[in-house]
Amino acid sequence: MFGYRVPAPDEAMLISGGRRGLGGAPFRVVTGHGKFVLPVFRKTRFLTLSMCEAEVTETCVTRQGISLHVRAVIAFKVGNDTESIINAGQRFLSDQEQMSVLTGRIFAGHLRSIIGSMTVEEIVTERQKLAAEVLDTSKIEMAKIGLIVDSLQIQSIDDGDTGYIEAMSAPHKAAIQRQAQIAQAQATQASVEAEQVAARNQAEYARQTAIVRAEYSAEVDRAQAQAAQAGPLAQAHAQQEVLAAQTELAQRAAKLRQQQLVAEIVKPAEAEAERIRVLAIAEAERMKIQAAAAASYDRVALDRMLIDQLPLIVKEAAGGLAGANVNVLNGADGLGEIAAGLVAQGLTILDSVRQNLNGQNGDGSAEKVKGLLELQGYSGTPGKDTDEGEREDGPGNPR
C-alpha cells in the first residue's frame, strides 16, 4: 500500500518528521510491525540490528614490559531495546560501517589496559579471564553508543622475536619430549617383548609338534609290531586255551573219580563202622542194664540176709564196742545207725568192731557178721574200706 512501510526482522525503522520520539529523540522507532508513513511529510530510515564483527590487532605491553601482538575478534550488535536503537541511530545511522571501526578502537584501548596489568604467563594460560575482563570494562561504553557485545575471542598472542613464550614453553616441551621418549621406549620394549613371546610361542609350538609327531610315529610302530605279533600271539593263546581246557577236563575227571571212590568204598566203610559202633553201644547199654538189674537183685537179697542176721550183728557189735566206751541207744535201731556210720565214727570204734568180729567168738557168728559186713562194703582191713568202697561204687551198689 502506498505510504505503508514495514521493517525487516533484523532492522529498526526510524521515522523522522512530525512529532518526536521517546525521550525527545528526533525520530520514532518501529520494530516488528509496519507503519503508515505520509509521503513528503515523513522520512523513513532503517538501522540494522544484525550481528556485526570487529577485528582488533594490537601491540600491548605486559606488566613485565614484554611486547605482545594480540589479535582478537569482537561480535556485537545494536541492542533490541528502544533506547539502544535511539543511541545507535543517532551515532551510526548515516554511516553504519563506523560501528565496527569504533568498536575495534574501544576494545583495543581496553585490551591494552587489561594486558598491561597481567603477566605473559597469565595472558597465555588464562585467555578466558582476559576476555572476560575486557568485556566487563567495555560494557558501559558500548551501552552508551547503543551496542552490546555477544562475544570476545582472543585468537592469537605473539611475542615477536623476544622468544619469551617459546622459552616459557621449553620446560613443557622438554617434559612432553621426555614423555614421548619414554612412551617410545615403552612401546619399543613392548614390541621386543611381544616378539620374544611370539618366538617362544613358535618354539613351543614346534616342540609340541615334534612331540606329537614322535608319538604318532611310536604309535604306528607299536601298531605294526602288534600286527606282526598278532598271528603267533593268537596261536599261543589258542594253545593256552586248549591246555587250560584239557587241564580243567582232567581235574573234573579226577574229581569225579574221587567222588566214585568215596561212594564205592569210603561211604560203605563208614556206614559199616557206624553200624558196628551203634551195635556196640547198644550191647554195652544192654549189659549195663542187665548188670544194674543183677546188682539191684543182689542188693535186695543181701539186705534181706542182713535183716535176718541183725540180732547177731547187734550182739557182736555190742561186744566189740564194749572197750570203746560207746553207748548204744534204741536197741537194734541204734546199732544199725552206729553200723551205718562206722566210717564217720573214727578208727578206734572201727578197730574194736573188727577185733571182736575177727574170731573172738568160737561159735562162728563172728565170721557170719564179718561176711555180712564185707558184703555191705567193709573189708575189715584198716584204711581199705573207704578206697575199695569207692571203687566198688556203681549202679545198684551203694556204699
Side-chain angles (χ1 to χ4, degrees):
M1 183 181 294
F2 181 74
Y4 192 79
R5 308 295 298 272
V6 179
D10 59 347
E11 291 180 338
M13 185 172 63
L14 308 180
I15 303 173
S16 60
R19 59 186 181 87
R20 290 181 174 273
L22 181 65
F27 49 80
R28 289 178 294 171
V29 178
V30 177
T31 58
H33 60 87
K35 190 74 173 176
F36 183 77
V37 180
L38 291 175
V40 181
F41 295 101
R42 303 286 187 268
K43 189 174 182 177
T44 303
R45 302 286 298 274
F46 294 93
L47 179 65
T48 181
L49 300 179
S50 62
M51 182 68 65
C52 300
E53 180 181 305
E55 184 175 339
V56 177
T57 301
E58 193 71 21
T59 299
C60 306
V61 179
T62 66
R63 188 175 63 185
Q64 299 159 312
I66 298 172
S67 298
L68 297 177
H69 301 287
V70 181
R71 181 173 178 271
V73 176
I74 304 100
F76 67 94
K77 65 181 293 293
V78 177
N80 294 327
D81 59 289
T82 303
E83 184 178 359
S84 296
I85 293 173
I86 292 173
N87 291 335
Q90 289 179 342
R91 290 171 177 80
F92 305 111
L93 185 59
S94 299
D95 189 3
Q96 298 186 29
E97 296 295 333
Q98 288 297 319
M99 287 190 294
S100 298
V101 176
L102 182 59
T103 300
R105 290 176 181 176
I106 292 173
F107 272 89
H110 288 290
L111 193 62
R112 285 194 301 271
S113 175
I114 298 300
I115 288 176
S117 64
M118 299 175 68
T119 63
V120 178
E121 289 79 5
E122 293 175 346
I123 295 170
V124 172
T125 58
E126 299 179 4
R127 290 189 181 186
Q128 191 63 33
K129 178 182 177 181
L130 173 62
E133 290 184 0
V134 173
L135 286 175
D136 289 339
T137 55
S138 62
K139 186 180 296 184
I140 297 176
E141 294 183 28
M142 295 293 289
K144 288 180 180 180
I145 59 177
L147 302 177
I148 58 175
V149 179
D150 287 341
S151 67
L152 170 64
Q153 295 294 330
I154 306 297
Q155 291 188 337
S156 65
I157 298 174
D158 185 11
D159 61 351
D161 297 333
T162 60
Y164 187 89
I165 296 177
E166 184 176 0
M168 185 177 64
S169 64
H172 302 286
K173 289 182 179 179
I176 293 173
Q177 291 176 355
R178 183 171 61 254
Q179 292 177 358
Q181 292 174 356
I182 292 173
Q184 183 63 36
Q186 291 177 349
T188 303
Q189 181 179 358
S191 176
V192 172
E193 291 178 353
E195 291 178 357
Q196 293 177 353
V197 171
R200 286 197 298 268
N201 291 336
Q202 291 178 356
E204 179 65 20
Y205 180 77
R207 185 182 70 84
Q208 293 180 357
T209 302
I211 292 173
V212 171
R213 287 178 178 174
E215 291 178 352
Y216 286 163
S217 179
E219 186 175 355
V220 171
D221 293 341
R222 285 194 299 270
Q224 291 177 352
Q226 290 176 358
Q229 296 175 358
L233 286 175
Q235 185 177 2
H237 288 163
Q239 293 177 356
Q240 185 177 2
E241 291 178 357
V242 171
L243 292 175
Q246 292 176 352
T247 302
E248 185 178 359
L249 182 60
Q251 291 177 352
R252 289 183 178 179
K255 187 175 181 181
L256 179 59
R257 181 56 183 165
Q258 183 181 3
Q259 292 176 354
Q260 290 175 353
L261 292 175
V262 170
E264 294 174 357
I265 299 174
V266 177
K267 292 297 182 180
E270 290 179 352
E272 182 63 21
E274 182 65 20
R275 186 182 68 80
I276 294 172
R277 187 180 68 83
V278 171
L279 291 176
I281 292 174
E283 182 64 21
E285 187 66 24
R286 185 183 65 78
M287 294 177 67
K288 182 177 179 182
I289 293 172
Q290 290 177 354
S296 178
Y297 177 77
D298 292 342
R299 180 66 180 177
V300 172
L302 183 60
D303 289 342
R304 172 59 63 183
M305 186 181 296
L306 183 60
I307 292 171
D308 293 339
Q309 298 296 327
L310 185 59
L312 181 60
I313 292 173
V314 172
K315 178 180 179 181
E316 294 297 330
L321 293 173
N325 296 323
V326 178
N327 295 321
V328 179
L329 301 177
N330 297 329
D333 294 334
L335 182 59
E337 292 177 0
I338 293 173
L342 287 177
V343 176
Q345 294 297 323
L347 294 177
T348 303
I349 298 175
L350 184 59
D351 290 340
S352 298
V353 173
R354 280 201 301 269
Q355 289 175 5
N356 290 323
L357 293 176
N358 281 333
Q360 292 183 2
N361 296 321
D363 56 0
S365 61
E367 294 297 332
K368 294 180 180 180
V369 174
K370 181 178 180 182
L372 292 174
L373 291 175
E374 288 177 354
L375 290 174
Q376 291 293 324
Y378 299 104
S379 64
T381 303
K384 188 177 179 182
D385 296 337
T386 303
D387 295 338
E388 293 181 354
E390 290 178 354
R391 286 194 299 269
E392 291 176 357
D393 289 344
N397 292 307
R399 185 177 299 174

